[in-house]
Amino acid sequence: MSSEPMPCSHIEAITDVKLPTERVCGECVRMGSRWLHLRTCQTCGRTACCDSSPNRHASAHARTIGHPVVASAEPGERWLYCYPDEAFHEY
Ligand SMILES: [Zn+2]
Ligand SMILES: [Zn+2]
Ligand SMILES: [Zn+2]
């Protein structure tokens, strides 16, 4: 993690960023749907599709399960996003 100040307490609490265990959105695969980008939940490690995808499974997961922070699961992207605080942090 870099030394810049953390934008919210949820992101501050993350010491080890969880990386995707699979590069698919499991929900979309089940539905036979498509996605654009993937995000990995930093509470449970689940990977789901981004807000630019038609089903927005990562956002739905944060809202319904209450896991606030995701990391980008895209290769080369190193950032975290907190849904309730709309906070973004590069690491
Ligand atoms: Zn937060
Ligand atoms: Zn999805
Ligand atoms: Zn989760």
Side-chain angles (χ1 to χ4, degrees):
M1 304 289 273
S2 73
S3 57
E4 55 182 291
M6 295 293 174
C8 78
S9 58
H10 303 111
I11 287 177
E12 193 173 9
I14 292 167
T15 51
D16 287 305
V17 176
K18 289 184 173 63
L19 297 172
T21 52
E22 47 178 15
R23 295 209 178 270
V24 297
C25 175
E27 291 279 310
C28 282
V29 168
R30 247 193 314 278
M31 295 166 64
S33 186
R34 289 169 175 272
W35 61 87
L36 220 58
H37 304 293
L38 295 171
R39 309 290 179 240
T40 299
C41 176
Q42 295 302 295
T43 306
C44 67
R46 176 172 169 162
T47 294
C49 54
C50 72
D51 280 0
S52 304
S53 306
N55 300 300
R56 301 178 164 203
H57 283 130
S59 162
H61 178 75
R63 202 170 50 242
T64 59
I65 313 288
H67 293 166
V69 181
V70 292
S72 175
E74 299 300 310
E77 291 188 7
R78 293 171 60 88
W79 52 259
L80 299 164
Y81 182 74
C82 174
Y83 281 101
D85 293 316
E86 298 183 351
F88 180 83
H89 179 73
E90 286 184 272
Y91 65 92

